[in-house]
């Protein structure tokens, strides 16, 4: 680890002020700290969001939920509010990493990092969530920009995520046996706005399986998408599974998610 | 009391066979236990190692002048700091510090000692190594090709007549067996022949290698180290550094897992060389990345297995070709592995040919029953296929051929009393064997064997003033042996278990002890403890005789008391161990018991495993539903630890079967040197592993004990493969049986059915 300054502001305004030069925000630190230890990043300072009370918590809002950026995966997984309103989101959070990760990692940190195998991006995109920052509101569709890229600008801080309540939703993932990251994760949601199928782990970033969405619009059943093939071209291929294997898993996980919705 | 010589029956026990709390448990869960990296010394420096980024490269030169000039750097060592040698330690010498060539990615090239980790890291970057990159080979079959890149110009295959004139990557050919296999196959009604491949795996111990070395200006050295054998470390290091053995004292730390991987040296001689050069203590701790790349994983293999049987399932012949690569130096365990892998059955005709092959990978080290799981995978898979084809019950077929007392083993000796039949019967009788299976579920059976070792052992037992005991053993406790030693000492002396404290003594406190390996410690150190206790009892009886003024022979020891042997001996109140201890100063001074020997007749341990799996036909994922280990322990001294050994071996074997593998890139570099990519099973992956302890006493031990640590890793690969085969009708012949591999096989099966 290289040397850096450490700040723990207690207000969002103070945090924003600290974000100059090569400063980096740290939420749960589940990705950043290992990166620092491996010397793959050299920030001038770390601004720890852990001291800002307003960033935590789960609130019912407009029929849906607003989840503060510093809310941990464990808090989402165990929240009665989440289980009542969007149970699939609680299931998603319960399946992230391991208990240690779930007790440290946060929703804001996860989506800001936008790991291509992270679970939350699929949930946000499928549910049509809105990312709230200290400057604006960004639709999830516009927020995730490919591998480790987001629409966030320098100095912009995610404060919360707002989820509408779906009629039905389910998340199915095939985890990497070691890291529990998604080899493939598919979140299917049926809302007033239609049906969304969001895929994580398979490609360089979360994406919507639009052919599946179309097929499901006419017939919301696993059979409707059985023959919808996801092209392997452009999907991730690594020692854990080829692009073809991942493409196959997308179909399997999508069908299982649809079945779980009905 | 030993086996009664007249009846050959085992005595009844007061404490052996109970499950007291482990003496090291609280320290381990509270963090008080001191592991390798916890050692510290005044003025300590940080040692770091420069490793080859190339799989195979000539080292033209090493320029460390800039590193040496960096403030805070106190020493840099290379191969020039170790005298060359031509004896049987040369491979170790070249492995711990590359000489002339880097033979694998991660091979140590130089090392530095500096005042801080960051200075050491900077210094490594300043060392300029001029490499000439050479072609490499990491696959065992490719390494045996005539035009394969050659690792050693002087490696001539041993065991071949006439002696080859050219060097190759084949270090050794072995062959063993008996009978006439051609005749045996001619007599067979069914012959099944299959090829198998297994990938290398790592022991996956949680504690990385770590040591603290301190060599003074007078040439006297101390080493604190995490190891399975500190006497081995002392002897090897002293020789590599040209020190008198007496000048080096080695203390074994608490150990966070070894499984065979800590039965050799890696960083220890380097740390000592750095300390000697710097004149200060030096601590070296491997990172997990270094552990994967530069310690000793197991062999990868390529095998052909052919077995012939009569219609009733009786085996007529076995013919095997085994190719094991053991990394950059000779020594792949094709011999022990091959012998153990075929040991479960009685073959009228058997021939096993094996090759020990070198490749550009780290030198393999022992891993729990070294070499046996691979050959057993091949044998037990073919046996299962035969049973399926002939529609025989897999346990009945194994019973028909099972090795038992009087069976001549393929590797030579004729077995004494052994427990394979009993484990098969225990498996069949267990409730797990009767559970009805559902769709996509299958049951797999496999048996396994390990020789078990005895070896050089020395223990010392000292009586304290209050009647408690200090027991010093020289075999690091990697699986609960201190608890077992305490139980055996308490049993002999007739005192509470809690009154005995066992420690792992340093190398200057006891005579030589072989490393903790071969499942030998509870057997060999345990037997030495029993004899040391009896030695002490003899002295205790002598002291009582002295007080009572009667002959020593007229005193007996019973459940913690010296007593007159009978009415003729005199009428004296029994004297307790506590009284004898309190009076020791007045009756002749300290009381101790000692024993040193080379233990023999370890008595092998057989096992039978039964596993139920469910295969997801859409993803290829295999879930273990239930798993049963039935194994012969001879006599389970501490049953909880015996069960723990059964469970641990099974879990490591399941990992090998389903997930774990060393993955090399085309560049000869390891692609998955970390636990995020190298996948060992964790608690949430598996069900509780069920166990059934079988006790067929080993006549070579006073209590009938057999080693239990290793056999449990032998059957799982085959058992899981057999279960997968029964679940979805595909037979996999390569490890690991990962989801993509299973899905591919299912696709091929579907294509065959359609075509």
């Amino acid at each position: 680890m290289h040397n850096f300054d450490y700040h723990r502001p207690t207000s969002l305004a103070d945090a924003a002020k600290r974000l100059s030069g090569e400063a980096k925000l740290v939420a749960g630190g589940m990705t950043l700290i290992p990166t620092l230890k491996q010397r793959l990043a050299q920030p001038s300072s770390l601004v720890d969001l852990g001291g800002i009370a307003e960033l935590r918590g789960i609130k019912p809002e407009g029929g849906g939920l607003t989840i503060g950026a510093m809310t941990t995966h464990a808090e989402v997984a165990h929240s009665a509010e989440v289980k009542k309103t969007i149970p699939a989101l609680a299931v998603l959070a319960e399946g992230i990493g391991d208990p240690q990760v779930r007790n440290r990692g946060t929703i804001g940190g996860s989506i800001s990092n936008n790991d291509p195998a992270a679970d939350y991006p699929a949930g946000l995109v499928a549910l049509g969530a809105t990312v709230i920052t200290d400057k604006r509101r960004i639709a999830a569709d516009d927020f995730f920009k490919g591998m480790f890229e987001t629409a966030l600008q320098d100095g912009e801080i995610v404060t919360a995520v707002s989820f509408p309540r779906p009629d039905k939703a389910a998340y199915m993932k095939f985890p990497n046996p070691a890291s529990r990251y998604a080899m493939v994760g598919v979140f299917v949601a049926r809302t007033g706005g239609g049906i969304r199928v969001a895929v994580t782990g398979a490609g360089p970033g979360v994406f919507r399986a639009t052919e599946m969405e179309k097929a499901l619009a006419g017939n919301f059943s696993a059979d409707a998408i059985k023959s919808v093939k996801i092209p392997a071209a452009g999907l991730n291929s690594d020692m854990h599974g080829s692009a073809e294997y991942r493409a196959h898993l997308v179909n399997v996980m999508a069908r299982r998610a649809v079945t779980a919705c009905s | 009391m030993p086996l009664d010589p007249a009846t050959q029956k085992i005595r009844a026990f007061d404490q052996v066979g109970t499950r007291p709390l482990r003496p090291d448990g609280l320290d381990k869960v509270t963090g008080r236990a001191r592991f390798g990296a916890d050692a510290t010394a005044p003025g300590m420096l940080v040692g770091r190692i420069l490793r080859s980024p190339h799989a195979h490269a000539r080292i033209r030169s090493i320029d460390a002048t800039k590193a040496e000039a960096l403030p805070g750097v106190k020493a840099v060592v290379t191969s020039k700091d170790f005298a060359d040698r031509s004896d049987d330690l040369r491979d170790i010498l070249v492995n711990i510090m590359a000489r002339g060539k880097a033979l694998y990615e991660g091979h140590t090239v130089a090392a530095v000692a500096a005042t801080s980790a960051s200075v050491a890291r900077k210094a490594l970057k300043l060392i300029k190594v001029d490499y000439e990159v050479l072609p490499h080979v990491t696959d065992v079959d490719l390494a045996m090709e005539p035009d394969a890149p050659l690792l050693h110009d002087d490696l001539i295959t041993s065991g071949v007549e006439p002696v080859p004139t050219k060097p190759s990557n084949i270090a050794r050919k072995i062959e063993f067996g008996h009978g006439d296999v051609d005749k045996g196959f001619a007599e067979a009604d069914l012959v099944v022949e299959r090829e198998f491949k297994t990938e290398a795996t790592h022991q996956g111990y949680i504690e990385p290698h770590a040591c603290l070395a301190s060599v003074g200006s007078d040439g006297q050295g101390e080493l604190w180290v995490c190891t399975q054998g500190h006497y081995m470390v002392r002897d090897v290091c002293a020789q590599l550094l040209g020190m008198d053995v007496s000048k080096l004292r080695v203390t074994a730390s608490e150990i966070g897992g070894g499984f065979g991987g800590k039965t050799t040296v890696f960083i220890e001689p380097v740390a000592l060389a750095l300390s000697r050069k710097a004149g200060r203590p030096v601590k070296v701790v491997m990172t997990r990345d270094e552990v994967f790349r530069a310690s000793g994983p197991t062999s990868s293999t390529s095998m052909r297995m052919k077995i012939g049987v009569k219609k009733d399932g009786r085996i007529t012949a076995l013919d095997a070709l085994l190719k094991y690569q053991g990394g950059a130096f000779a020594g792949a365990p094709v011999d022990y592995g091959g012998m153990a892998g075929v040991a479960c059955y009685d073959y009228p005709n058997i021939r096993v040919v094996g090759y020990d092959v070198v490749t550009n990978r780290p030198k393999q080290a022992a891993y729990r029953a070294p070499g046996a799981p691979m050959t057993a995978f091949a044998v037990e898979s073919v046996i299962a296929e035969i049973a399926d084809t002939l529609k025989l019950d897999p346990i009945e077929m194994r019973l028909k051929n099972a090795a038992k007392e009087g069976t001549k083993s393929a590797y030579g000796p004729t077995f004494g009393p052994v427990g394979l039949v009993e484990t098969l019967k225990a498996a069949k009788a267990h409730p797990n064997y009767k559970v009805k299976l559902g769709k996509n579920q299958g049951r797999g059976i496999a048996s396994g064997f390990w020789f078990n070792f005895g070896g050089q052992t020395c223990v010392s037992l000292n009586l304290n003033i209050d009647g408690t005991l200090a027991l010093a053993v020289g075999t690091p406790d990697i699986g609960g042996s201190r608890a077992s030693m305490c139980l055996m000492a308490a049993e002999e002396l007739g005192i509470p278990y809690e009154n005995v404290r066992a420690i792992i003594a340093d190398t200057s406190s006891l005579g030589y002890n072989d490393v903790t390996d071969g499942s030998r410690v509870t057997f060999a150190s345990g037997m030495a403890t029993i004899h040391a206790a009896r030695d002490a009892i003899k002295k205790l009886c002598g002291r009582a005789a002295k007080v009572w003024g009667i002959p020593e022979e007229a005193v007996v020891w019973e459940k913690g008391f010296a007593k007159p042997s009978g009415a003729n001996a005199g009428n004296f109140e029994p004297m307790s161990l506590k009284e004898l201890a309190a009076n020791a100063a007045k009756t002749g001074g300290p009381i101790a018991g000692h024993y040193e020997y080379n233990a023999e007749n370890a008595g092998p341990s057989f096992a039978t495993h039964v596993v139920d799996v469910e295969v997801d036909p859409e993803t290829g994922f295999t879930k273990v539903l239930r798993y049963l280990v039935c194994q012969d322990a001879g006599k389970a001294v501490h049953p909880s630890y015996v069960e723990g050994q059964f469970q641990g071996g099974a879990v490591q074997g399941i990992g090998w079967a389903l997930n774990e593998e060393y993955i090399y890139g085309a560049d000869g570099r390891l692609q998955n040197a970390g636990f995020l990519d190298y996948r060992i099973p964790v608690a949430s992956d598996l069900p509780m592993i069920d166990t059934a302890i079988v006790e067929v006493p080993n006549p070579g031990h006073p209590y009938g004990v057999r080693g239990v640590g290793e056999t449990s890793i032998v059957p799982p690969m085959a058992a899981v493969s057999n279960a997968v085969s029964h679940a979805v009708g595909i037979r996999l012949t390569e490890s690991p049986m990962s989801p993509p591999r299973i899905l591919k096989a299912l696709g091929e099966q579907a294509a065959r059915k359609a075509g």
Side-chain angles (χ1 to χ4, degrees), chain B residues 96-163:
Chain B
I96 60 109
M97 188 64 79
R99 296 185 96 82
K101 283 212 292 187
L103 293 165
Y104 56 92
E105 183 216 14
H107 199 165
T108 298
V109 170
V112 304
T115 48
S116 74
S118 63
V119 173
R121 203 182 297 111
K122 271 187 204 133
L124 292 187
K125 285 192 183 139
L126 293 174
I127 299 175
K128 292 284 163 261
V129 184
D130 183 11
Y131 292 106
E132 176 194 347
V133 178
L134 301 171
H136 65 271
V137 62
T138 55
D139 177 82
V140 64
D141 289 310
L142 296 178
M144 292 176 76
E145 297 281 335
D147 56 351
L150 205 56
L151 270 81
H152 306 283
D153 297 334
D154 57 350
L155 185 66
I156 301 292
T157 310
S158 69
V160 177
E161 288 294 333
V163 175

Side-chain angles (χ1 to χ4, degrees), chain A residues 96-246:
Chain A
I96 297 174
D98 49 38
Q100 289 87 339
V101 168
R102 291 196 286 277
N103 280 306
R104 288 288 313 168
T106 66
I107 186 168
S110 172
I111 64 169
S112 301
N113 187 47
N114 192 19
D115 189 300
D119 298 288
Y120 266 126
L124 266 68
V125 170
L127 291 164
T130 303
V131 179
I132 303 165
T133 76
D134 58 343
K135 298 197 169 71
R136 58 189 168 139
R137 298 169 69 89
I138 311 167
D141 281 340
D142 303 324
F143 181 82
F144 300 106
K145 297 283 187 192
M147 198 178 283
F148 297 110
E149 294 282 336
T150 65
L152 288 171
Q153 288 161 357
D154 283 350
E156 192 171 9
I157 302 171
V158 173
T159 58
V161 183
S162 167
F163 292 92
R165 179 182 191 147
D167 301 331
K168 298 271 188 188
Y171 181 59
M172 287 287 161
K173 85 163 162 176
F174 190 85
N176 174 307
S179 66
R180 306 300 202 248
Y181 269 112
M183 291 265 286
V184 166
V186 180
F187 203 110
V188 172
R190 187 178 190 171
T191 63
I195 290 157
R196 283 176 166 237
V197 179
V199 180
T200 189
V206 61
F207 64 89
R208 284 172 64 185
T210 46
E211 292 300 313
M212 286 185 173
E213 292 177 358
K214 275 183 218 158
L216 289 168
N219 172 13
F220 193 78
S221 76
D223 283 347
I225 51 172
K226 187 150 194 194
S227 59
V228 179
K229 294 268 180 282
I230 300 294
L235 295 191
N236 300 334
S237 190
D238 58 25
M239 67 182 112
H240 306 299
S242 64
E244 290 74 20
Y245 183 65
R246 282 186 165 83

